Amino acid sequence: MPSRPALRLVRERKLAELISFPKDGAVLEASGVLARGRDCFVIFDNVRRVARVERSLAPGAPRHGWMGRARSGEGYEDIAYSPRQRRYYLLIEAEKHPDGTFKAVIEECDEEFRFKGRHWVDFAFEERNTGFEGLSAVRWRGHDYLLALCEGNRCRAGKKGLRPGGGRIQVLRRSGMVWRPVATIKLPRGVRFRDYSALAIRGERIAVTSQQSSRLWLGTLRRSDWTIAGAGRSYDFPRTRKGKRLYSTVEGISWLADDTFVAVSDLAKEQHPPRCEPKDQSIHIFRLPRSR
C-alpha cells in the first residue's frame, strides 16, 4: 500500500467525448489546462490551438469547442491568464534561438484568443524537448510575472535531469520584447520527483505535478523572496489496489477550489503499461483526501 495519501477522483472523461479531433486521425495530446469561470481551457502539444471544456464535463454541453484560429507549428506546453493584463499566455517548450541555443517562446492572446504577439524567454536549455513544462501568471507589488516550471531537475536534461530533489521554477519578468528570469524558486529537496509536468498557483498555495512519479505536491509560496515555506506535502494520483500507477501522463493542473483540481493527461506511450491507456487523452477532476 502507498505510504502517501492519494487524491480522490471526482469524475473524468476522454477529451474525444467532449470535443472533436482537430484533424482526421489525430490524437488529443493534452499538455495543459487553465480553469477560469465555468470553463476549462485545454492546450495540446500536437495542436497550436485552445479548446474550451465546460467544467461539468458533460458530453454535448454547448460551451465545448475550439477557440480562435489554429496556428501553424507544434503545440503548446501550458496556458496561463493574467486578469490585470487580460491576456492568455501560451507556452512553447523550446525552439532553436538565433544564438544557437534552445529557448522557450511565450505567445499572447486576448480574451477572444486573438493572437497578439510572441516573445522569447532568455533562458537556455540543453535539449529542445526538455524545457519548460508549466506556466502560471502572478502579480506582486505592482509587477506582473510568469512562473515557468522546468521539466528536468535543476533545469537539466538527460540523466542529470532525472536525479530527484532539484525542482526549479524560473520567475520571469517582461523586459522589452523578452521575458527574463529575475529569480529561481527551488522546490524542497524532499520533493523527490523524477520530472515535473505542471504548475498551478492559488493565492500563496502552489501545486506541482510529476508524470513519471505520478504525484502532486502542495506547498506555500513566499513572493517576498520567491522561496517555499516549509516542506509541503505530496499526494499520489489514484492507483490500483496493489499500488500500481494508473495516471502516468498527467501534464496539466489547475485549481478549481481550495481542495479540488482539474487535470489533463497526454497520450500514453509505448513505455506505459496498458492499464494507463484508459486514463490518457483525458480530463480529470481530483479532490484532496479528507483530513483525519
Side-chain angles (χ1 to χ4, degrees):
M1 296 296 291
S3 59
R4 285 168 298 276
L7 299 172
R8 294 188 295 125
L9 177 65
V10 178
R11 57 184 176 273
E12 63 187 0
R13 290 279 185 183
K14 286 283 191 178
L15 284 160
E17 299 178 46
L18 309 177
I19 57 174
S20 60
F21 287 106
K23 53 188 176 182
D24 292 341
V27 294
L28 294 168
E29 298 183 22
S31 53
V33 62
L34 171 73
R36 183 171 177 241
R38 61 191 291 191
D39 300 315
C40 299
F41 296 98
V42 183
I43 49 91
F44 308 84
D45 58 20
N46 65 319
V47 180
R48 198 165 287 190
R49 196 177 184 186
V50 180
R52 183 176 66 190
V53 173
E54 187 180 292
R55 59 195 294 177
S56 68
L57 309 190
R63 295 183 66 80
H64 298 337
W66 293 94
M67 306 298 292
R69 295 181 178 180
R71 291 176 51 75
S72 61
E74 297 179 3
Y76 301 111
E77 288 298 328
D78 209 356
I79 178 172
Y81 176 75
S82 168
R84 175 78 177 189
Q85 300 298 328
R86 300 176 69 179
R87 284 283 190 272
Y88 288 99
Y89 299 97
L90 300 161
L91 172 65
I92 298 172
E93 182 174 8
E95 292 183 354
K96 193 67 173 288
H97 190 271
D99 67 8
T101 65
F102 295 104
K103 295 182 178 180
V105 175
I106 295 173
E107 293 189 350
E108 296 184 21
C109 293
D110 64 14
E111 293 185 311
E112 301 300 321
F113 285 96
R114 292 182 291 246
F115 177 75
K116 292 297 180 182
R118 70 194 317 260
H119 307 282
W120 289 103
V121 178
D122 190 20
F123 188 88
F125 288 100
E126 298 166 302
E127 297 180 5
R128 184 174 181 269
N129 63 349
T130 309
F132 289 129
E133 283 285 310
L135 194 71
S136 284
V138 299
R139 189 169 175 81
W140 174 248
R141 293 181 176 175
H143 297 289
D144 293 294
Y145 299 90
L146 292 177
L147 306 186
L149 174 71
C150 290
E151 178 180 355
N153 282 281
R154 300 163 194 85
C155 298
R156 301 295 302 274
K159 293 182 179 179
K160 292 181 179 179
L162 294 174
R163 185 160 56 90
R168 299 289 186 269
I169 300 169
Q170 299 299 324
V171 182
L172 310 177
R173 186 174 170 184
R174 179 87 171 269
S175 176
M177 299 299 290
V178 177
W179 289 93
R180 301 188 187 280
V182 295
T184 300
I185 300 170
K186 296 182 179 181
L187 300 187
R189 292 185 178 181
V191 184
R192 309 294 292 176
F193 290 174
R194 287 174 59 82
D195 73 342
Y196 305 85
S197 62
L199 165 73
I201 304 291
R202 184 178 177 90
E204 295 181 347
R205 303 178 74 193
I206 179 172
V208 174
T209 63
S210 170
Q211 268 199 64
Q212 294 192 36
S213 301
S214 190
R215 296 177 196 159
L216 175 142
W217 171 82
L218 296 181
T220 302
L221 174 64
R222 291 189 295 217
R223 303 186 194 192
S224 58
D225 58 0
W226 302 112
T227 60
I228 301 296
R233 189 171 189 180
S234 292
Y235 299 83
D236 283 334
F237 284 100
R239 303 194 176 208
T240 68
R241 291 182 178 180
K242 294 183 178 181
K244 295 184 177 181
R245 299 169 187 170
L246 290 170
Y247 295 85
S248 293
T249 60
V250 173
E251 278 219 20
I253 194 88
S254 187
W255 296 82
L256 290 176
D258 287 343
D259 65 345
T260 309
F261 305 88
V262 60
V264 293
S265 290
D266 195 359
L267 173 71
K269 307 299 193 297
E270 291 184 0
Q271 68 266 27
H272 297 124
R275 65 176 180 272
C276 297
E277 291 181 6
K279 307 297 185 181
D280 80 344
Q281 302 179 76
S282 298
I283 183 167
H284 329 268
I285 294 179
F286 296 106
R287 187 167 290 147
L288 293 175
R290 295 186 180 93
S291 300
R292 295 181 179 179

